[in-house]
Amino acid sequence: AQTVTQSQPEMSVQEAETVTLSCTYDTSESDYYLFWYKQPPSRQMILVIRQEAYKQQNATENRFSVNFQKAAKSFSLKISDSQLGDAAMYFCAYSTGDSNYQLIWGAGTKLIIKP
Amino acid sequence: KAGVTQTPRYLIKTRGQQVTLSCSPISGHRSVSWYQQTPGQGLQFLFEYFSETQRNKGNFPGRFSGRQFSNSRSEMNVSTLELGDSALYLCASSLISGAQTEAFFGQGTRLTVV
């Protein structure tokens, strides 16, 4: 069974600094997708970034980038120039690429931004 | 473009009752997935519907059921409520079924069972 592990329950960073959130996963599949979602206090889950396993290039979305290490089954999220609006719960998630579509989630990391 | 709408936003029910939650996906989206979020178990997949058919189901008891209508709106039903069913229930819609398309989430329904 696939699993997703986030080992950092909480992280804090000074505004404008860079922070990295960790995520590891376990799967025997070759075709899969990895995601980082953000859940602010409004509770609405928002997609931050997505990575297809077959792509070697790390995904980037503005200040957000990932370090995808396929062999190590690691998928960390780097947030550059942290802003107060980045404060939220961040969830790492996995899904296979086949018809068995479901998101498998990590436990989440609470990100605190210090002004 | 309207987002995913979940109703009601908050709900309080008594043990043993049943409850129905509603999810209206983004216009044109045909896939709707449901997730349960609790402090203890985290986020867990309930089921996915695509074109009125349940394509996938998570590891939940039969008390949890759902359906999807021809306009892609989905309902989730929980019968014989237990205290442990207290959770935030999230709905996500996507254009088609599969991880290759982005899933957009609603703000959830907070269910409290007393």
Side-chain angles (χ1 to χ4, degrees), chain A residues 36-53:
Chain A
W36 278 99
Y37 279 90
K38 168 185 176 181
Q39 187 179 40
S42 67
R43 308 178 326 202
Q44 187 166 18
M45 206 68 80
I46 301 164
L47 179 65
V48 174
I49 202 163
R50 177 175 68 187
Q51 175 81 43
E52 294 92 333

Side-chain angles (χ1 to χ4, degrees), chain A residues 98-109:
Chain A
D98 60 16
S99 60
N100 185 28
Y101 172 56
Q102 60 173 285
L103 289 169
I104 297 169
W105 302 83
T109 297

Side-chain angles (χ1 to χ4, degrees), chain A residues 32-35 37 39 41-48 50 52 54 89 91-92 94-108, chain B residues 3-4 9-10 31 33 35 37 42-45 48 55-58 88 90 94 96-110:
Chain A
Y32 57 89
Y33 294 74
L34 294 163
F35 309 84
Y37 279 90
Q39 187 179 40
S42 67
R43 308 178 326 202
Q44 187 166 18
M45 206 68 80
I46 301 164
L47 179 65
V48 174
R50 177 175 68 187
E52 294 92 333
Y54 64 86
M89 283 292 293
F91 292 92
C92 179
Y94 162 100
S95 178
T96 59
D98 60 16
S99 60
N100 185 28
Y101 172 56
Q102 60 173 285
L103 289 169
I104 297 169
W105 302 83
Chain B
V4 179
R9 292 288 307 278
Y10 300 89
S31 169
S33 300
Y35 294 86
Q37 185 175 20
L43 282 147
Q44 295 183 282
F45 171 76
E48 187 216 0
R55 285 178 57 95
N56 200 7
K57 189 177 192 304
L88 178 66
L90 293 168
S94 52
I96 59 173
S97 178
Q100 65 270 35
T101 58
E102 182 176 349
F104 293 84
F105 283 79
Q107 289 188 286
T109 293
R110 171 77 68 186

Side-chain angles (χ1 to χ4, degrees), chain B residues 46-62:
Chain B
L46 281 156
F47 26 65
E48 187 216 0
Y49 286 87
F50 179 73
S51 294
E52 300 178 67
T53 301
Q54 186 182 89
R55 285 178 57 95
N56 200 7
K57 189 177 192 304
N59 189 24
F60 277 81

Side-chain angles (χ1 to χ4, degrees), chain A residues 48-108:
Chain A
V48 174
I49 202 163
R50 177 175 68 187
Q51 175 81 43
E52 294 92 333
Y54 64 86
K55 287 188 177 178
Q56 291 188 330
Q57 188 172 5
N58 288 325
T60 300
E61 287 287 342
N62 300 314
R63 297 182 295 108
F64 300 87
S65 62
V66 297
N67 183 5
F68 175 44
Q69 300 291 325
K70 192 171 184 178
K73 295 181 181 175
S74 170
F75 183 62
S76 60
L77 174 70
K78 186 172 84 170
I79 305 174
S80 304
D81 186 26
S82 298
Q83 300 175 1
L84 294 178
D86 295 333
M89 283 292 293
Y90 284 81
F91 292 92
C92 179
Y94 162 100
S95 178
T96 59
D98 60 16
S99 60
N100 185 28
Y101 172 56
Q102 60 173 285
L103 289 169
I104 297 169
W105 302 83

Side-chain angles (χ1 to χ4, degrees), chain B residues 63-108:
Chain B
R63 300 185 298 106
F64 291 81
S65 63
R67 59 179 175 168
Q68 187 180 35
F69 302 94
S70 58
N71 62 357
S72 293
R73 188 178 72 86
S74 178
E75 285 182 349
M76 189 193 108
N77 185 76
V78 188
S79 62
T80 319
L81 283 165
E82 301 176 359
L83 295 178
D85 297 333
S86 294
L88 178 66
Y89 290 89
L90 293 168
C91 161
S93 81
S94 52
L95 204 56
I96 59 173
S97 178
Q100 65 270 35
T101 58
E102 182 176 349
F104 293 84
F105 283 79
Q107 289 188 286

Side-chain angles (χ1 to χ4, degrees), chain A residues 10-21:
Chain A
E10 186 174 297
M11 292 281 285
S12 63
V13 63
Q14 208 70 35
E15 194 176 3
E17 296 293 306
T18 296
V19 64
T20 299
L21 309 184

